[in-house]
Amino acid sequence: MQPPDHQEIDHVQAHLNPTRPFCFTLILFILGSLSVIVSGCSSSDSTDYRQFSEKIDHDRSPSDTTPVEATADAAPEQKPVEPAAQVETSATAPVKPEVPAAPSEETTTEAAKSDSPVSSPAEKNASTDHSLPVVAQRPDPKKRALTKEEVAQEKIASEPREVKILVKDRSFRTTSPENALLVNYDDLDLLKVMNMEPVTPRAPELMPEWLKNLDGKRIRIRGFMYPPFQQTGNEYFLLARDNQICCFGKNPKIYDLFPVIMREGVTADYILNRPFDVVGVFHINAVSFDGELERIYTIDDAIVIDK
């Protein structure tokens, strides 16, 4: 076997070890290819990449959505939210951002209605129901239907009575202090004294003489204090016959409740639900207001005896 000659050795070395011009050419080719690739990436529109990404999402295989379906099966109470429909656009046409139009008045009104909480039928009935709540109360005997006898009695009571002197004579004893005449409310009751109901402004003229003679005399009378405006330092208060419905209720008789004016420099404290005596000068004077009789008796220069 003959050894290879020098020409064959040089040919093999030239094939295995390329020359420098060849390497230089190869480097220039690689650099040119890189410049073309970089320029192509920089000149591409971002829309192409976005559409390409959307297409990949759209063409995703069902196996990629398996974890989502498994999560939906694990929580059946929560309904999966369907993805919004994606609109495919052409690769060449650029996508322009959409400017939302100004909402109209009708749209704003509808949105406000949709945002407001929906009221149930019970709430609607409650909002429109203005009737008062039913409260259990004891039946009032005055509101029941009257019998024929009661209607006849009320008719007789509403009609003016014939005035006639029922107590023709009456005397009073004196008592302390200041030799005051001892008087009680029965002596001033015009229904018992002269059968007068209702009391009219002419009552002082029709009174018996013994009652007229009490005018300007110092008397002592026992009664109850009608609630005044203040607890202490009262220079004026109303003296009531009793503390029941007769005087503390509606429309007391004019002779069962009359004013008391304290002596100068003297005041009275409120006496609650306890009878006491008043000593003062008694006056008979019918005072009317707007055609209605307001008072017929007064006591002034008074002092209170609470014992």
Side-chain angles (χ1 to χ4, degrees), residues 16 20 26 52 56 61 93-94 113-115 120-121 130 133 144 148 159 182 232 238 290 300 306:
L16 297 176
R20 291 181 178 179
L26 181 60
F52 180 72
I56 291 175
S61 62
K113 290 181 179 179
S114 62
D115 293 339
S120 61
H130 300 288
R144 65 178 176 79
K148 294 182 179 180
E159 296 177 354
L182 190 59
T232 60
L238 294 176
D290 289 341
D300 58 14
D306 184 18

Side-chain angles (χ1 to χ4, degrees), residues 69-90:
E69 294 177 357
T71 306
D73 295 336
E77 295 182 358
Q78 298 180 356
K79 296 183 180 179
V81 180
E82 297 181 357
Q86 299 177 354
V87 180
E88 295 183 0
T89 58
S90 64

